[in-house]
Amino acid sequence: MAKPPVMQDWPGLIEAYRSWLPVSSTTPVITLKEGATPLIPVNSIAERLGRGVKVYVKYDGLNPTGSFKDRGMTMAISKAKEAGCEAVICASTGNTSASASAYALRGGMRAFVLIPDGYVAQGKLAQALVYGAEVLAIRGNFDRALDIVQEIAKKYPITLVNSVNPYRLEGQKTAAFEIVDALGEAPDWLCIPMGNAGNITAYWMGFQEYKKAGNCQNLPKMMGFQASGSAPLVFNTTVKEPDTIATAIRIGNPVNREKAMAIKSSGNGEFLDVTDSEIIEAYKILGQEEGIFCEPASAASIAGLLKRKAEVPENSKIVCVLTGNGLKDPDCAINNNDASFHTNLDPDIQTVAQAMGL
Ligand code: F0G
């Protein structure tokens, strides 16, 4: 009998893609076995598009801390460790802080995380606290927090692990490798939410490197989506007071703006905004029709695809990136669902049966 694949064989993405990454035999590898996330067909979305289109989600919410950030963080923290660093810092809308806290802990480093007070989803805040980071909540938004941590990292011996750290993007590009390795080719479209635009930049790097090496013949069209209230890349502006239910991408002045704009001006990218209600509609479709729970920022990739429905090429293959796990933001889930939730029931059979409609 054939031996089933054993997940324990997966060594984490640095070992899996070592030759594609800036590591040497002496780099200490700090890993939680991130990567190797599933590419799941989502027929409910494909059916809405019709014309033979195949749609998959890259469910990166299944990484060890529940978001794609772990791909970048295994690299950033391993390289920080290699350089002898003892502390790291980041600004975050939540996921970067969760990931940095976990990986810094494993690497024996202190983690300082700056977050916008009141605008980080509960699950993410809980993670940073559980992993023992020093959490600094400011009365200001993410953009302000990023300005502050950049200054602190210049002045003090603390390594910045936001996506301005080039090792973050190196790690994150492996998601593009995994997609090509799974499909045997690049998808026709890659749909992805954008905040600071680090991830879209990393995917683009990954696809280009694989194409250059002959691992795929084509490059996907990069479809980047932002929430309407926080869409500086779509409208080519800076948003002073960004606003959206998708707090992960509540960013008004993306630090990777130029890299994102280069993708767009190369003719390989298209950016579009999606409203909060379009995001929530997509979020609900994934939950109710696919059994896939992502966070609202991630659902922007599906919302954008549905909005661009008319332009989808016939018989194409599309991958939407689900960047974060739905469990990160329980408040959003509880406030945005169509479930029948009967509360305060008397604890007897008759009441329960009646509530069940029996
Ligand atoms: N999706 C999720 C779930 C995110 O947490 C983020 C960014 C993005 C998408 C956008 O990725 O910034 O590379 O374009 N979160 C950062 C954070 C800002 O602090 O966790 P991007």
Side-chain angles (χ1 to χ4, degrees), residues 67-69 91-97 124 142 162-163 168 172 193-200 248-249 251 256 295 297-298 323-324:
S67 84
F68 72 96
K69 305 287 179 177
S92 183
T93 55
N95 282 324
T96 300
S97 57
K124 303 175 188 180
F142 170 85
N162 280 103
S163 58
R168 280 276 313 277
Q172 285 170 217
M194 295 187 298
N196 262 318
N199 213 24
I200 192 170
I249 50 173
I251 294 174
N256 297 298
E295 63 172 286
S298 308
T323 46

Side-chain angles (χ1 to χ4, degrees), residues 31-35 37 60-67 70-71 102-103 127 131 328:
T31 180
L32 283 160
K33 309 265 177 161
E34 56 297 309
T37 56
D60 245 8
L62 288 187
N63 273 300
T65 78
S67 84
D70 296 342
R71 294 182 180 277
Y103 283 81
Q127 288 179 288
Y131 303 139
K328 295 267 192 179

Side-chain angles (χ1 to χ4, degrees), residues 196-268:
N196 262 318
N199 213 24
I200 192 170
T201 304
Y203 269 87
W204 186 233
M205 276 167 55
F207 287 123
Q208 284 179 307
E209 286 181 24
Y210 249 28
K211 179 163 185 273
K212 207 169 158 201
N215 288 6
C216 56
Q217 306 313 311
N218 301 308
L219 292 169
K221 185 166 175 190
M222 304 294 284
M223 303 294 290
F225 302 114
Q226 296 198 295
S228 300
S230 307
L233 297 171
V234 177
F235 301 120
N236 203 7
T237 180
T238 297
V239 180
K240 284 230 160 56
E241 289 181 15
D243 187 33
T244 169
I245 192 167
T247 52
I249 50 173
R250 187 175 168 270
I251 294 174
N253 190 19
V255 73
N256 297 298
R257 178 190 295 271
E258 278 171 25
K259 291 178 185 142
M261 284 311 186
I263 300 173
K264 196 173 164 187
S265 53
S266 73
N268 290 295

